Amino acid sequence: MSVTTPARLTLFDRVLCGIDGTPESLEAARQAERLRSAEGSLRLAAVTEVNTAVHAGFAMSHVLEQLEAGAQDGLRRAADEVKPTSTHLLAGEPAPCLLDEIERTKATLVAVGPRGHSRAAGMLLGGVAARLLHEAPCSVFLARPPQFGEFPSSVIVGVDGSPESLAAAAVAKSIAERFGSEHLIVAATGGKRIDLAPIQALSPYFVTDPGRPADVLAELSNEADLLVVGSRGLHGPRALGSVSERVGHRATSSVLVVRDPRRHHEHND
């Protein structure tokens, strides 16, 4: 995949945002609205957690009604803050429902507002953000409140010379140009030799750091509103140790994990 990948052009065309009524999910909706392309769609989806109602026994119908009302209220509040193309109420478990919705709509980006920053807790609890980072075939956006003004006023991208990281760098550059954001390219080598030529071809202005990529990028997230990383397309158990997965949980800023949309289209076609 070359740096001229259509990823930066199509990434924000079909955005799916998970809504659960929390301040984090409302922030995700606001930032997803900012990022979607001019002609792109923004679908808001809330999930009525049916399994929770099932555990209520004889009170199942009442609990289900309450859960559905809460999900609908969350959708209404989110729709009041942004201008979605559509809103959808799903039923089931949040992560599987969002993954099914990604497949059904061929979403190019899924956005959620993760709670907390603990990677270990996310993996242990099987959180929605963790499941999406592991399994979503499209790019994943984890929204956290901006630290330096209107989102995204500052963008940092991690690169290692791989095609995936160069595609992420191209996306980060397009975002920075679109919003007039401060923009920094960081090559964290982890003590290894990496090919800097592709990075220099992308931009002569970048910094190198000998630290471990996940550690360096997580620390730098304190200095940005948005951290962009590429994904090598690993899913399931193979993704557990990936830089993008670790950064996604440890960063204090919003994180965009860029995956090649062509792989997603091929997966669905």
Side-chain angles (χ1 to χ4, degrees):
M1 181 172 57
S2 71
V3 296
T4 57
T5 173
R8 62 185 183 277
L9 302 176
T10 64
L11 179 59
F12 305 115
D13 283 357
R14 294 187 297 278
V15 182
L16 171 67
C17 182
I19 300 296
D20 61 9
T22 62
E24 291 87 351
S25 71
L26 292 178
E27 184 64 38
R30 287 190 289 266
Q31 294 186 19
E33 167 68 12
R34 286 275 290 169
L35 289 175
R36 74 160 163 176
S37 59
E39 302 300 323
S41 64
L42 173 60
R43 301 169 65 88
L44 303 182
V47 180
T48 301
E49 298 188 49
V50 176
N51 284 351
T52 302
V54 170
H55 294 152
F58 290 112
M60 181 178 71
S61 296
H62 177 64
V63 172
L64 189 60
E65 288 177 0
Q66 289 184 317
L67 291 172
E68 185 171 328
Q72 289 177 329
D73 180 64
L75 276 177
R76 281 193 295 269
R77 285 189 287 126
D80 285 342
E81 294 211 22
V82 300
K83 297 178 180 179
T85 308
S86 59
T87 61
H88 302 269
L89 184 62
L90 312 175
E93 296 181 42
C97 281
L98 288 176
L99 288 168
D100 287 345
E101 193 73 356
I102 291 169
E103 296 287 356
R104 190 179 72 81
T105 64
K106 294 189 177 182
T108 53
L109 178 69
V110 60
V112 292
R115 305 177 194 179
H117 306 298
S118 171
R119 172 175 174 261
M123 290 170 59
L124 179 64
L125 299 176
V128 173
R131 284 285 302 274
L132 293 175
L133 284 172
H134 298 162
E135 301 178 30
C138 64
S139 296
V140 178
F141 179 66
L142 308 182
R144 296 185 175 102
Q147 305 176 79
F148 303 102
E150 189 174 23
F151 175 86
S153 62
S154 54
V155 181
I156 292 177
V157 59
V159 296
D160 61 9
S162 67
E164 293 84 2
S165 75
L166 296 177
V171 170
K173 182 179 180 181
S174 69
I175 293 172
E177 291 175 346
R178 179 179 168 193
F179 294 101
S181 312
E182 294 183 4
H183 178 220
L184 178 65
I185 300 173
V186 179
T189 65
K192 300 177 181 178
R193 291 185 59 124
I194 65 174
D195 185 4
L196 297 179
I199 303 172
Q200 291 171 330
L202 186 69
S203 172
Y205 308 107
F206 64 92
V207 298
T208 61
D209 191 299
R212 297 172 59 188
D215 295 338
V216 171
L217 295 175
E219 180 65 26
L220 284 173
S221 70
N222 293 303
E223 309 299 326
D225 287 331
L226 177 62
L227 184 62
V228 184
V229 293
S231 170
R232 297 182 185 277
L234 300 178
H235 297 288
R238 293 184 302 162
L240 291 177
S242 69
V243 171
S244 59
E245 188 269 344
R246 283 178 282 166
V247 168
H249 283 287
R250 292 172 54 189
T252 56
S253 67
S254 294
V255 176
L256 173 61
V257 177
V258 176
R259 290 182 174 134
D260 186 351
R262 291 175 297 179
R263 293 182 182 177
H264 179 44
H265 297 328
E266 290 166 1
H267 180 73
N268 284 280
D269 291 343

